[in-house]
Amino acid sequence: MRFFCARCCSFGPEMPAVQLLLLACLVWDVGARTAQLRKANDQSGRCQYTFSVASPNESSCPEQSQAMSVIHNLQRDSSTQRLDLEATKARLSSLESLLRDKSVLEEEKKRLRQENENLARRLESSSQEVARLRRGQCPQTRDTARAVPPGSREVSTWNLDTLAFQELKSELTEVPASRILKESPSGYLRSGEGDTGCGELVWVGEPLTLRTAETITGKYGVWMRDPKPTYPYTQETTWRIDTVGTDVRQVFEYDLISQFMQGYPSKVHILPRPLESTGAVVYSGSLYFQGAESRTVIRYELNTETVKAEKEIPGAGYHGQFPYSWGGYTDIDLAVDEAGLWVIYSTDEAKGAIVLSKLNPENLELEQTWETNIRKQSVANAFIICGTLYTVSSYTSADATVNFAYDTGTGISKTLTIPFKNRYKYSSMIDYNPLEKKLFAWDNLNMVTYDIKLSKM
């Protein structure tokens, strides 16, 4: 025998009638005033007790159609709330992205403020030095008192009308004529030994835009192809690094130029230590870069993803001591030309003038070094073609120029006025690719190339 309670619950089997009456009294006591207890046989002839209590809230039971309508309304409300939740999640994701971009911008703002303060101090110091020189009261320094090494001659440059005088001398070392005939100090072949395509830069074409960065982290960066590719890489393999941020480790690799242009990397390298600035290059299967906040150059072999060599550049300024005029901690800038691997930097001894060293690509040992009379902070960027250093006058002017050249073969520098276009008015990286005979540049989020022309040697 089983008992049921209308609009309440069912009772356990074989409940005695006395207990059922007690339960009816209990329900009556807690507020029911219309409770009914009914006993009758069911269809099978078994005795069945039914206990009914009127609902205190509903005057009548809803029809099935009304119940289904309520259910549908609840389902519709649930769907609407789910859509609202998804929209809220999307807005939260957008806000988180904006907060990340804001953090990057704040860091960049802080860095630029520090660079402006450093530049102001240097300009003040330079103005005082110019004033002393014009009064004819140039103090003797350790460099002017230093004896010139045997076999060298001292060349002085005194230009009191410009700030490009910071290095007042350079030292030229004589070498045997046989060595010059066999190989120049810069390492490239002289004319008569074979056509290397070398010559002096005479023209730079209009920039061709290949790719635009997607986020603020690509405001400036570096991109390159290997002029001496090794397996498994080809002439098409392209690498890209967005350098805005405090912990730059990602190197995007693209097997094909079409993948690079569409933004689909085939691999992402995570460097074992962060790099600094836009001076990285790829040469003979390795990425060469400056370690963050150090004067250390690192060779990272891309295929094996291992560090093969590290070397401190003696006395080199770093982390804002001697950057290019645009800043960006561009104190140490690596470059590649027909002769191999170079590093462009400055030192306290050089008083901020550009120092140029040829590097051994295997162990990063310095093979030879030149001091120029070009003040590093007076130029926006530099690159090397056929053993000659070239500098660019401005990183923002639409009508900039390639304004200086320093030939490592002769030790002679000269001024130039070769037009150079900064189409997007913020060039943070300019490098030469000797295989393609083009300039690669990063101009305000945009990755561009320039065709060039060289005179015959």
Side-chain angles (χ1 to χ4, degrees), residues 374 378-381 390-394 400-405 414-418:
I374 305 168
S378 70
V379 298
N381 224 303
Y390 295 92
T391 64
V392 178
S393 63
S394 171
T401 60
V402 177
N403 59 345
F404 287 107
K414 62 180 179 180
T415 58
L416 301 172
T417 55
I418 301 172

Coordinates of all heavy atoms in Angstrom, one line a residue, residues 374 378-381 390-394 400-405 414-418:
I374 N 82.7 60.4 -37.1 CA 81.3 60.6 -37.2 C 80.6 60.4 -35.8 O 80.7 59.3 -35.3 CB 80.6 59.7 -38.2 CG1 81.4 59.8 -39.6 CG2 79.1 59.9 -38.3 CD1 81.0 58.7 -40.5
S378 N 74.6 61.9 -33.7 CA 74.2 62.9 -34.7 C 73.6 62.3 -35.9 O 73.1 63.0 -36.8 CB 75.4 63.7 -35.1 OG 76.3 63.0 -35.9
V379 N 73.6 60.9 -36.0 CA 73.0 60.3 -37.2 C 71.9 59.3 -36.7 O 71.8 58.9 -35.5 CB 74.0 59.5 -38.0 CG1 75.1 60.4 -38.5 CG2 74.7 58.4 -37.1
A380 N 70.9 59.0 -37.6 CA 69.7 58.2 -37.2 C 70.0 56.7 -37.3 O 69.4 56.0 -36.6 CB 68.6 58.6 -38.1
N381 N 70.9 56.3 -38.2 CA 71.1 54.9 -38.4 C 72.4 54.7 -39.2 O 72.9 55.7 -39.8 CB 69.9 54.2 -39.0 CG 69.7 52.9 -38.3 OD1 70.5 52.0 -38.2 ND2 68.4 52.7 -37.8
Y390 N 78.0 53.7 -44.0 CA 77.1 54.8 -44.5 C 76.2 55.2 -43.3 O 75.7 54.3 -42.6 CB 76.3 54.4 -45.7 CG 77.2 54.2 -46.9 CD1 77.6 52.9 -47.2 CD2 77.5 55.2 -47.8 CE1 78.4 52.7 -48.4 CE2 78.3 55.0 -48.9 CZ 78.7 53.7 -49.2 OH 79.5 53.5 -50.3
T391 N 75.9 56.5 -43.2 CA 75.0 56.9 -42.1 C 73.8 57.7 -42.8 O 73.9 58.2 -43.8 CB 75.6 57.8 -41.1 OG1 76.1 59.0 -41.7 CG2 76.8 57.1 -40.5
V392 N 72.7 57.7 -42.0 CA 71.4 58.4 -42.5 C 71.2 59.6 -41.6 O 71.3 59.5 -40.4 CB 70.2 57.4 -42.5 CG1 69.0 58.1 -42.9 CG2 70.5 56.3 -43.4
S393 N 70.8 60.7 -42.1 CA 70.8 61.9 -41.4 C 69.6 62.0 -40.4 O 69.7 62.6 -39.3 CB 70.7 63.1 -42.4 OG 69.4 63.0 -43.1
S394 N 68.4 61.5 -40.8 CA 67.2 61.6 -39.9 C 66.4 60.4 -40.0 O 66.3 59.7 -41.0 CB 66.4 62.9 -40.4 OG 65.2 62.9 -39.7
A400 N 65.2 62.8 -45.9 CA 66.5 62.6 -45.3 C 67.5 62.3 -46.3 O 67.2 62.2 -47.5 CB 66.4 61.5 -44.3
T401 N 68.8 62.2 -45.9 CA 69.9 61.8 -46.8 C 70.8 60.8 -46.2 O 70.9 60.7 -45.0 CB 70.7 63.1 -47.2 OG1 71.3 63.6 -46.0 CG2 69.9 64.1 -47.9
V402 N 71.5 60.1 -47.1 CA 72.7 59.3 -46.6 C 73.8 60.4 -46.6 O 74.2 60.9 -47.6 CB 73.0 58.2 -47.6 CG1 74.3 57.5 -47.2 CG2 71.8 57.2 -47.7
N403 N 74.2 60.7 -45.4 CA 75.0 62.0 -45.2 C 76.5 61.8 -45.0 O 77.3 62.7 -45.2 CB 74.4 62.8 -44.1 CG 74.4 62.2 -42.8 OD1 74.5 60.9 -42.7 ND2 74.2 62.9 -41.7
F404 N 76.9 60.6 -44.6 CA 78.4 60.4 -44.3 C 78.7 59.0 -44.9 O 77.9 58.0 -44.9 CB 78.7 60.4 -42.9 CG 78.7 61.8 -42.3 CD1 77.7 62.2 -41.4 CD2 79.7 62.7 -42.6 CE1 77.7 63.5 -40.9 CE2 79.7 64.0 -42.1 CZ 78.7 64.4 -41.2
A405 N 80.0 58.9 -45.3 CA 80.6 57.6 -45.7 C 82.0 57.5 -45.1 O 82.7 58.4 -45.1 CB 80.6 57.4 -47.2
K414 N 83.8 61.0 -45.8 CA 83.4 62.1 -46.6 C 81.9 62.3 -46.4 O 81.2 61.4 -46.0 CB 83.7 61.9 -48.1 CG 83.0 60.7 -48.7 CD 83.4 60.6 -50.1 CE 82.8 59.3 -50.8 NZ 83.2 59.2 -52.2
T415 N 81.5 63.5 -46.7 CA 80.0 63.9 -46.6 C 79.3 63.5 -48.0 O 79.9 63.5 -49.0 CB 79.8 65.4 -46.4 OG1 80.4 66.1 -47.4 CG2 80.4 65.7 -45.0
L416 N 78.1 63.1 -47.8 CA 77.2 62.8 -49.0 C 75.9 63.5 -48.9 O 75.5 63.9 -47.8 CB 77.0 61.2 -49.0 CG 78.2 60.3 -49.1 CD1 77.8 58.9 -49.0 CD2 79.0 60.5 -50.4
T417 N 75.2 63.5 -50.0 CA 73.8 64.0 -50.0 C 72.9 63.1 -50.9 O 72.2 63.6 -51.7 CB 73.8 65.5 -50.5 OG1 74.4 65.5 -51.8 CG2 74.5 66.4 -49.6
I418 N 72.9 61.8 -50.6 CA 72.1 60.9 -51.4 C 70.7 60.9 -50.7 O 70.5 60.6 -49.6 CB 72.7 59.5 -51.3 CG1 74.1 59.5 -51.9 CG2 71.8 58.5 -52.1 CD1 74.9 58.2 -51.8

